Amino acid sequence: MRLQRQRQFTLRRTLALLLGVACLCVPTRAAEKILSKDAARKAITRVAGLELPKDAVRIKAVTGTGTAVEVAATIKTAFRLQQTEAGQWRVVEVRAGDRQWEEIELLTRALHVERTTPLITQLEALTAQFAERERIRAEKKLKEKDEPADNAQAQKKKQPAPPADADDLRAGPFVIKSFAPLLSSATVETEIDTLFRLNKNARGQWQVLDAKLGDSAWADITALVRALDAEKATRAQADLAALAGALEAFRRERGFYAVADSAGALVDQLNPRYTNAIIRIDPWHRPYAYTGTRASFDLRSLGPDGKANTADDVVSDHAGR
């Protein structure tokens, strides 16, 4: 009996030891699962204040494990260009969201780069190439229209069908999908190959740390947003100074300030006698805030956070008293 109990005890110890060894041999799971494509897409659509639609971001690959990953993505957006007197195309704006455009000059100042940076000149050269190709195609179609129908049909049969992406032009990270000219301006729809670095913040949410286009250096997103907001604050202050100056001209002539409860209503009273500028929207794409009585006024931008009476508000230095 005693021998039997000893054997059972030994068996239990052996099983426990084997179980412990087995546990040690099983590889431990990563602290965090790899970032899903849907979660990566969601984080990228909100990066740097963008409001991109879901279908504007196509995730190609997610690499890395734990709390830091790298995401390769294609971003669909558009650029507005102006044609100079010499016929050269210059990028002036980039689409940042639904009916939201950011000025290239503002971005280059925030990044402390020249507007002749290789990425910009690359896009401008690609646009010129695309525009020239479209011009040649239009001339060819016009010529074919004037040819006898039999000859035109015979030429079409000889030509093989172009591939699905034959209309696209690529250079570096840019692919131009379409070109829509209007007088001396144009809008180009593009796809941009982009790399992002993401990690989890203190609340467990994925956020974009850095971004990279083509062969350019990694850009710190937080630093970029901070610099861009500073440039926008400077622009907002200039807008507010212009409106305040017009308000003072209004008061000098009429003896009181314009009474209104919005910047839109204010501009209607000031333009065009006291200012030729139409200033309604701040650099963060929100209406300027204005409340005015005959004796005083308050004129401000709600700043980056879009909330009234917070530390980032940009307030006119010439507010009426």
Side-chain angles (χ1 to χ4, degrees):
M1 191 72 171
R2 183 179 178 182
L3 180 60
Q4 185 178 2
R5 285 198 299 269
Q6 287 179 341
R7 287 176 177 173
Q8 290 176 349
F9 178 72
T10 302
L11 179 60
R12 285 197 296 270
R13 286 184 60 188
T14 302
L15 290 174
L17 181 61
L18 290 174
L19 182 59
V21 171
C23 290
L24 290 174
C25 292
V26 174
T28 57
R29 293 182 61 186
E32 300 289 344
K33 291 183 179 179
I34 194 168
L35 174 64
S36 70
K37 288 188 175 182
D38 285 341
R41 184 182 298 108
K42 186 176 181 180
I44 291 170
T45 57
R46 302 191 307 265
V47 65
L50 297 180
E51 295 181 7
L52 298 174
K54 184 178 179 180
D55 61 0
V57 179
R58 178 167 58 88
I59 306 298
K60 297 192 293 185
V62 178
T63 57
T65 58
T67 57
V69 297
E70 188 171 297
V71 177
T74 297
I75 308 298
K76 295 180 183 178
T77 188
F79 293 86
R80 284 177 178 160
L81 297 95
Q82 290 286 341
Q83 198 168 29
T84 66
E85 293 182 357
Q88 297 177 326
W89 289 104
R90 286 171 57 89
V91 181
V92 292
E93 291 180 312
V94 58
R95 187 169 64 202
D98 184 25
R99 295 189 292 272
Q100 292 187 8
W101 296 79
E102 296 288 358
E103 294 181 18
I104 293 298
E105 298 293 346
L106 206 64
L107 289 170
T108 55
R109 286 200 300 270
L111 289 169
H112 302 291
V113 298
E114 300 292 333
R115 82 165 324 280
T116 53
T117 180
L119 282 173
I120 294 178
T121 56
Q122 196 172 45
L123 178 60
E124 290 171 345
L126 191 62
T127 299
Q129 183 182 351
F130 201 101
E132 178 63 13
R133 192 186 69 176
E134 293 300 291
R135 185 190 66 79
I136 294 173
R137 284 184 172 182
E139 289 181 353
K140 184 178 180 181
K141 285 183 179 180
L142 187 61
K143 183 178 179 181
E144 290 175 349
K145 186 178 180 180
D146 295 335
E147 290 180 354
D150 293 342
N151 291 345
Q153 289 294 330
Q155 289 294 328
K156 286 183 179 180
K157 288 181 180 179
K158 291 180 180 180
Q159 297 176 355
D165 60 350
D167 289 338
D168 300 344
L169 281 183
R170 172 182 288 274
F174 299 105
V175 177
I176 291 187
K177 307 294 289 186
S178 68
F179 174 83
L182 179 62
L183 301 177
S184 62
S185 64
T187 301
V188 293
E189 296 286 339
T190 64
E191 292 183 352
I192 309 173
D193 292 333
T194 314
L195 287 176
F196 297 93
R197 289 174 179 162
L198 292 82
N199 76 345
K200 278 192 174 182
N201 59 23
R203 293 174 293 178
Q205 298 174 328
W206 287 99
Q207 62 181 5
V208 177
L209 294 179
D210 308 289
K212 178 180 179 181
L213 300 181
D215 296 330
S216 64
W218 286 96
D220 183 316
I221 295 300
T222 301
L224 172 60
V225 171
R226 189 182 301 114
L228 187 57
D229 282 341
E231 290 291 339
K232 289 183 176 183
T234 300
R235 173 71 61 81
Q237 195 65 64
D239 286 349
L240 295 177
L243 287 173
L247 274 164
E248 292 298 339
F250 183 100
R251 182 187 62 81
R252 285 193 298 271
E253 182 174 291
R254 302 195 181 192
F256 54 87
Y257 291 115
V259 178
D261 58 3
S262 70
L266 169 66
V267 171
D268 290 341
Q269 296 187 58
L270 298 179
N271 181 271
R273 185 174 180 83
Y274 305 101
T275 177
N276 292 322
I278 304 297
I279 303 172
R280 303 180 189 273
I281 305 299
D282 72 9
W284 293 276
H285 314 291
R286 305 186 190 97
Y288 280 108
Y290 176 79
T291 53
T293 66
R294 293 169 64 91
S296 65
F297 67 85
D298 182 85
L299 186 60
R300 67 181 60 213
S301 162
L302 302 184
D305 68 1
K307 299 177 182 178
N309 302 314
T310 56
D312 67 359
D313 285 9
V314 182
V315 183
S316 170
D317 292 333
H318 307 282
R321 295 291 184 268

